[in-house]
Amino acid sequence: MDSASIQFVLFGLAAALVSNFSRSRVWRSIVLLVASIVFLGLLAHNPIVFLPMAGFLLLGYGGLFLIESGWSKFSVWGILAVIVVYAWLKKYTFLPEGAFLHHPYFTLGLSYIFFRVLHLLIEAGDGNEKRHIGIGAYLLYTLNFTTLVSGPIQRYDEFARDQFAAEPLPLGIRIIGLQLERIIRGFFKVNVLAMLLHAVQEDALVQVTHPYSPTSLRIYAAFKLAVVYPFFLYANFSGYIDIVIAIARLMRVKLPENFDRPFSASSFLDFWNRWHITLSTWLKIYVYNPLLITLMRRVTSIALEPLLGVICFFVTFFLIGIWHGRTSEFVIFGVLQGGGVAINKLWQMGLTRSLGRKGYKALAKNPLYIAFGRGLTFSWFAFTLFWFWAGWKQIGGVFHSIGVVQWLAVWITIWICATAVLSAWEWLRAVLLSIATSEGPILTSRYARVVYASALGLAALVMTVLLNQPAPDIVYKAF
Amino acid sequence: MPCPEANERMNARDTCLPWRDWILLPIISLATISVLAGTTELIARGMFTESGNIQKCLPNYIHTPGIRGIPHCVCWEKDRESLQGKETHFNRNGYVGDRDFGPKSPEVYRIVLVGSSVAMSLDVQNDRTHTAQLATELSGQTGHPVELFNQALPGPAGFPESAALRLDDALAAKPNLILWVITRSDINYVPDLPTASDALGNQRRSESTWHRVKGDLAVFSITKAESEFHHLALSLMSSVKSSFDESIAAFLLKHFLFESQSLYLKQTLRGSDDTVGYLKAQPSLKWQNALQGFDGKADEIISRANHAGVPLALVYVPNAGPAAMISNGHWPVEYDPYALGESIRTIVKRHGAIYVDILPAFSALPNPERNYLPVNGHPNVKGQVLMANLIARELTAVMYPKIQNTDPKQNQVKETK
């Protein structure tokens, strides 16, 4: 069952329907747990393959139990053990090959379970509030089928607030309509938009690396290859997120948003506030903040203080990069993410120093500065993504396909085009949303949404029937 | 309508819809779908028109092996994907061409082309067909006058069984060479008479969707069994899908989607054994049997040509799918785009004919699938030029001395590679 397939949507809707037979939290929890177990069973039929994951969950719960029982000193060891076992199960290449398990086992969703387990252990170890998480609640939280495959990464307190509420979140007809529209939108993004963009990317890759492609075709293909992938990744990932958020809401659980119009970001720092929000938030809370506080306590030099934030940003986003994969390409991806954020921060600091705070604030509001910043952010993200989707051989083939000067021209063109197109889109969006009645913008009214959802639904159905081939898999399922 | 969940926590706006919206919103949805579907169909019908039919000059050619065209017949046909229609003239011998197969001049090297629709260049203007260009290419490359007579006919009228039945026509033209252009369809075709099940299938295809649904519902109301319901559901889905596939809107979408090499290849590789089995590294039993059948017909044709002292050269023209795979240089491990060509080469060499191998040339062509009509699958105008170039180049490499010396007694069958 693909994560954004018709089967998954129907499964989720069926689970939501059954879940709403009763408002009782016990009933809703039973349905969610059964649905999650059934979902796992549909993904892999042999129960043996789940043993390593079960062991990982047991390790996490064991650590949690000990900490809640008063063994707070164990929390650091527990966290370290979870990290090491995670790296071992995910077969990170810095570990010796001989140490790995050699029979196949189930790891889908392990990265997200890892975040949830770590979050529980860290929060329990902080000891700020005494709470006990039973095994049922623990399994519900870690194996929740709506967030298992690719997130979003939800905090336990938010999950428990909704899942175990005596009075569940409301589910009126308008909310149901909004979720159904969101499911259709997500399905369209994954099964139509992402599929078409993926085809463009694959075709461009063939053209740019074919030994007999003329240079003009290769330059154009290089441009397409760089530009298309960010949009593909967005459509692929955010489409899946739309579906699971909507299904979860129908089951009366509000999941956090994972995207907030990321290509509107005017800086790379802002970009990571809008892209995979739950991941960057998690790392900011559990890596950036503690690291910054630790460094500030140890580094007494006032001159170095501004640089501590830069270092912490680099480390945080480097970890974001390498979380995505276990090979050396993702190390570079991490360096580029961390480097991009760090340079962005240094740039902001430098401008503030030279222009003063007021001067920098005024500049940051300048439409032209915002537009070029937006274009540069997109271009940098597009560049870093080569280490996200390609192996070293492919990267070599692509970057050697045209000359250095030609690549420079391609990236400058991407920057200028991104600046123009994204700015035009922002302007158009603002104009369209300004057409409003007393109830709000016309384009977000339920009538407009029905038109929109019907059109997208028809397009998605037609493409699914016509091509009768699966859309590209959810990229983030692999992490 | 009552709002059962209105309480302190909820905003009434979130729970209730005005009465009119329960009617208005579904109407808006249906209207949107209808307008979109209708507009797309209208645009598609405007963009992809078809007219005429070659059956006017080739009546019942699908079920009449060995048929020739009606002498001196002129017919018009425009395929949906062709930009222009084509007027096809049949000569007094019943083959495509403005002139008859008269006596051969001693200094001219005469080639008779046999095969099916690809060899016939069905969907391309007469002056742009590969046959029109092949003679010029060969003359240019050999420095010797070459004339080419096209005895290819479309579909089953050009497949091996028909080609064997009409071989005397090719030999009667006293050619220096018979050039047999085949595709995978020539291999896979198994000639048979229409059966009762075919007739029923044809009848079903010609029925409207509504009549099919009515028929299916009638069955359901009689049996009322769970397995019948399942069969009905599948049958309805299949009816909807096949009806959609028959629409011009679907044609429009396929035309533009299949311009993408990756989408086209993925769609190709999901096809049935009929359409993709020949690409497998280990062909299926059906394709093995088809190759055996082709072996028999090739033996018959090549033997008769050899007996008449006329060399026969065979060229296998790949479809867009294998062409793209060869160009990319990589494919899924269970496939091999060269497999069918190698099987044909083995058969041809065993029977003492010449195999003209144009497959390796596709590795030097980026995006060769753009030389084919995306849905129709036949070579387009660019593809005709490509075919002419490739066949002329490879044929010249093999036959150059023979073309230079046009004395038929000195022509000998020779292996190529």
Side-chain angles (χ1 to χ4, degrees):
Chain A
M1 180 157 56
D2 294 327
S3 309
S5 59
I6 290 262
Q7 294 93 319
F8 178 76
V9 170
L10 291 175
F11 176 85
L13 289 175
L17 180 66
V18 173
S19 174
N20 281 289
F21 284 169
S22 168
R23 294 157 64 87
S24 145
R25 60 184 160 190
V26 172
W27 171 253
R28 289 186 290 111
S29 297
I30 290 171
V31 170
L32 181 60
L33 188 61
V34 168
S36 299
I37 291 169
V38 167
F39 183 65
L40 284 172
L42 290 171
L43 293 174
H45 303 302
N46 184 359
I48 303 287
V49 302
F50 289 109
L51 286 180
M53 179 182 275
F56 182 79
L57 286 169
L58 204 61
L59 172 70
Y61 190 70
L64 189 64
F65 180 80
L66 286 173
I67 295 168
E68 286 175 352
S69 303
W71 294 66
S72 56
K73 285 184 185 171
F74 180 76
S75 67
V76 174
W77 294 109
I79 290 166
L80 277 172
V82 163
I83 292 172
V84 168
V85 170
Y86 168 76
W88 174 62
L89 286 176
K90 289 290 275 186
K91 298 184 181 176
Y92 272 83
T93 49
F94 61 79
L95 294 172
E97 176 77 28
F100 298 138
L101 298 172
H102 293 292
H103 59 266
Y105 55 89
F106 190 84
T107 58
L108 184 63
L110 188 64
S111 301
Y112 298 92
I113 293 175
F114 166 68
F115 279 123
R116 289 184 212 113
V117 169
L118 266 193
H119 154 66
L120 288 174
L121 290 174
I122 294 170
E123 293 293 319
D126 277 349
N128 291 330
E129 48 182 271
K130 295 285 179 198
R131 73 178 168 198
H132 170 68
I133 299 172
I135 184 70
Y138 174 78
L139 289 176
L140 269 176
Y141 174 62
T142 51
L143 296 178
N144 178 0
F145 82 94
T146 61
T147 58
L148 178 78
V149 171
S150 298
I153 304 164
Q154 186 182 31
R155 291 179 60 83
Y156 177 79
D157 47 354
E158 290 169 2
F159 170 76
R161 177 199 64 203
D162 293 337
Q163 184 62 34
F164 306 128
E167 193 58 42
L169 284 176
L171 195 64
I173 188 65
R174 291 196 192 211
I175 293 175
I176 292 173
L178 282 172
Q179 307 321 310
L180 291 177
E181 183 231 326
R182 192 165 190 175
I183 288 172
I184 291 172
R185 188 178 356 127
F187 190 83
F188 174 84
K189 277 184 187 174
V190 176
N191 291 283
V192 179
L193 206 55
M195 189 197 58
L196 293 174
L197 291 169
H198 187 64
V200 173
Q201 186 217 356
E202 285 187 318
D203 292 344
L205 184 60
V206 166
Q207 286 166 351
V208 87
T209 53
H210 197 287
Y212 293 93
S213 285
T215 305
S216 56
L217 181 64
R218 282 199 218 179
I219 292 173
Y220 181 48
F223 176 86
K224 279 192 293 185
L225 192 65
V227 165
V228 159
Y229 193 81
F231 290 113
F232 158 72
L233 190 61
Y234 174 69
N236 177 275
F237 192 17
S238 70
Y240 158 80
I241 292 292
D242 283 336
I243 293 173
V244 298
I245 286 180
I247 290 173
R249 183 62 185 85
L250 290 172
M251 298 182 79
R252 308 203 191 226
V253 172
K254 196 165 187 300
L255 293 178
E257 294 292 338
N258 230 1
F259 295 92
D260 178 19
R261 298 171 50 237
F263 301 122
S264 298
S266 55
S267 70
F268 205 55
L269 276 164
D270 185 29
F271 179 83
W272 277 103
N273 288 331
R274 295 165 177 266
W275 177 279
H276 209 169
I277 298 169
T278 56
L279 175 68
S280 56
T281 303
W282 194 99
L283 276 144
K284 278 179 204 167
I285 293 172
Y286 295 116
V287 175
Y288 178 84
N289 289 344
L291 185 62
L292 183 63
I293 291 169
T294 305
L295 285 177
M296 285 182 76
R297 283 182 188 154
R298 289 171 192 265
V299 174
T300 52
S301 165
I302 294 172
L304 288 177
E305 257 184 34
L307 291 178
L308 298 181
V310 175
I311 293 168
C312 294
F313 269 124
F314 180 84
V315 170
T316 304
F317 286 92
F318 173 72
L319 288 175
I320 283 178
I322 63 170
W323 168 82
H324 283 84
R326 48 191 185 83
T327 57
S328 54
E329 290 89 337
F330 288 98
V331 173
I332 302 301
F333 180 68
V335 167
L336 292 173
Q337 298 308 308
V341 170
I343 291 171
N344 190 178
K345 190 66 187 164
L346 284 169
W347 170 260
Q348 288 179 350
M349 286 162 51
L351 276 185
T352 306
R353 197 176 304 127
S354 58
L355 299 176
R357 273 188 192 279
K358 277 190 181 172
Y360 174 67
K361 274 191 176 175
L363 178 65
K365 286 181 186 165
N366 183 296
L368 213 57
Y369 179 81
I370 292 171
F372 275 101
R374 195 180 288 130
L376 186 62
T377 300
F378 175 85
S379 308
W380 179 251
F381 185 59
F383 176 73
T384 66
L385 284 178
F386 277 95
W387 284 265
F388 182 87
W389 63 263
W392 284 117
K393 196 175 168 191
Q394 262 181 330
I395 292 170
V398 166
F399 282 107
H400 280 115
S401 62
I402 57 178
V404 172
V405 172
Q406 287 158 340
W407 266 118
L408 208 57
V410 165
W411 287 111
I412 291 171
T413 307
I414 290 173
W415 182 10
I416 293 169
C417 289
T419 299
V421 170
L422 293 175
S423 297
W425 167 246
E426 290 295 314
W427 170 82
L428 182 64
R429 186 175 175 275
V431 164
L432 291 173
L433 288 177
S434 68
I435 307 169
T437 64
S438 55
E439 288 194 11
I442 287 178
L443 284 181
T444 58
S445 70
R446 57 185 177 280
Y447 306 109
R449 284 178 184 274
V450 163
V451 169
Y452 181 63
S454 303
L456 294 186
L458 175 67
L461 180 67
V462 159
M463 292 290 272
T464 304
V465 166
L466 186 70
L467 290 180
N468 194 28
Q469 58 178 274
D473 217 348
I474 304 301
V475 172
Y476 272 76
K477 188 171 130 179
F479 304 134
Chain B
M1 178 152 189
C3 304
E5 300 207 348
N7 63 28
E8 288 174 9
R9 280 185 65 188
M10 288 172 283
N11 186 337
R13 275 187 60 202
D14 291 334
T15 60
C16 303
L17 273 181
W19 271 106
R20 66 165 192 273
D21 281 354
W22 288 95
I23 299 165
L24 197 54
L25 292 178
I27 290 175
I28 290 173
S29 178
L30 285 170
T32 303
I33 291 169
S34 303
V35 165
L36 268 178
T39 307
T40 308
E41 183 70 14
L42 280 174
I43 291 171
R45 283 175 189 257
M47 285 178 70
F48 296 102
T49 57
E50 71 172 357
S51 57
N53 198 321
I54 203 167
Q55 289 222 50
K56 181 193 163 198
C57 294
L58 271 173
N60 202 29
Y61 73 90
I62 291 173
H63 298 299
T64 312
I67 191 172
R68 296 170 190 77
I70 297 171
H72 303 300
C73 184
V74 178
C75 60
W76 168 267
E77 189 178 32
K78 182 190 174 299
D79 179 76
R80 286 198 193 280
E81 282 186 301
S82 305
L83 292 175
Q84 293 172 298
K86 175 176 174 173
E87 190 173 80
T88 302
H89 294 249
F90 285 79
N91 59 23
R92 73 176 167 93
N93 304 106
Y95 294 104
V96 173
D98 286 327
R99 59 191 183 105
D100 302 326
F101 301 150
K104 186 177 87 71
S105 302
E107 70 278 8
V108 169
Y109 191 86
R110 177 177 281 185
I111 300 174
V112 169
L113 186 84
V114 297
S116 54
S117 54
V118 168
M120 191 186 169
S121 307
L122 191 61
D123 301 303
V124 175
Q125 294 297 305
N126 293 325
D127 59 339
R128 293 181 168 190
T129 63
H130 73 93
T131 48
Q133 298 172 76
L134 184 57
T136 310
E137 284 281 334
L138 280 170
S139 299
Q141 291 193 26
T142 61
H144 198 88
V146 174
E147 66 178 5
L148 198 145
F149 285 147
N150 196 338
Q151 289 190 357
L153 289 172
F159 289 158
E161 193 199 10
S162 288
L165 288 170
R166 292 194 307 265
L167 190 63
D168 286 340
D169 289 355
L171 295 172
K174 305 251 186 288
N176 297 97
L177 177 77
I178 295 174
L179 180 62
W180 189 6
V181 177
I182 64 166
T183 66
R184 60 107 174 158
S185 302
D186 295 80
I187 311 294
N188 195 29
Y189 178 70
V190 176
D192 58 7
L193 292 171
T195 63
S197 59
D198 283 342
L200 183 61
N202 289 338
Q203 184 193 352
R204 272 192 73 80
R205 273 188 290 277
S206 66
E207 286 175 5
S208 69
T209 304
W210 171 238
H211 282 109
R212 271 180 261 164
V213 168
K214 273 176 65 178
D216 292 331
L217 284 171
V219 170
F220 175 65
S221 67
I222 292 166
T223 61
K224 291 184 181 166
E226 186 181 337
S227 61
E228 281 294 328
F229 180 78
H230 182 66
H231 170 78
L232 172 66
L234 284 175
S235 176
L236 283 172
M237 281 170 57
S238 173
S239 295
V240 169
K241 185 177 186 312
S242 61
S243 294
F244 173 67
D245 275 343
E246 286 161 21
S247 71
I248 315 303
F251 188 95
L252 177 150
L253 288 170
K254 282 184 206 170
H255 174 84
F256 289 110
L257 288 172
F258 292 162
E259 285 186 345
S260 159
Q261 185 190 86
S262 63
L263 274 180
Y264 179 80
L265 273 179
K266 281 180 193 155
Q267 193 67 7
T268 297
L269 296 180
R270 286 180 71 83
S272 64
D273 186 63
D274 264 351
T275 53
V276 80
Y278 72 102
L279 288 172
K280 298 266 176 76
Q282 298 296 329
S284 64
L285 189 61
K286 181 172 180 176
W287 275 96
Q288 289 174 37
N289 291 339
L291 279 165
Q292 273 183 5
F294 173 73
D295 192 344
K297 281 297 164 196
D299 183 21
E300 179 189 337
I301 292 170
I302 295 169
S303 301
R304 287 171 57 193
N306 285 344
H307 184 73
V310 178
L312 187 144
L314 187 145
V315 58
Y316 161 58
V317 176
N319 288 8
M325 289 160 82
I326 293 169
S327 169
N328 287 349
H330 57 86
W331 44 82
V333 69
E334 63 269 32
Y335 294 97
D336 181 0
Y338 289 101
L340 183 62
E342 288 306 309
S343 300
I344 295 169
R345 181 208 300 272
T346 305
I347 290 169
V348 166
K349 280 169 64 173
R350 185 168 3 104
H351 297 307
I354 304 159
Y355 181 68
V356 180
D357 190 0
I358 62 171
L359 291 190
F362 284 90
S363 62
L365 292 171
N367 296 116
E369 71 285 348
R370 292 194 178 169
N371 294 294
Y372 298 81
L373 297 170
V375 180
N376 175 304
H378 286 103
N380 56 21
V381 169
K382 280 173 55 182
Q384 297 293 320
V385 173
L386 177 67
M387 270 178 68
N389 286 341
L390 293 180
I391 295 173
R393 191 172 75 194
E394 299 303 322
L395 195 59
T396 301
V398 172
M399 296 298 294
Y400 181 75
K402 308 301 174 199
I403 296 173
Q404 290 290 25
N405 181 358
T406 57
D407 184 349
K409 290 180 187 170
Q410 295 191 14
N411 286 351
Q412 289 176 5
V413 169
K414 196 172 183 179
E415 290 187 26
T416 56
K417 292 172 185 173

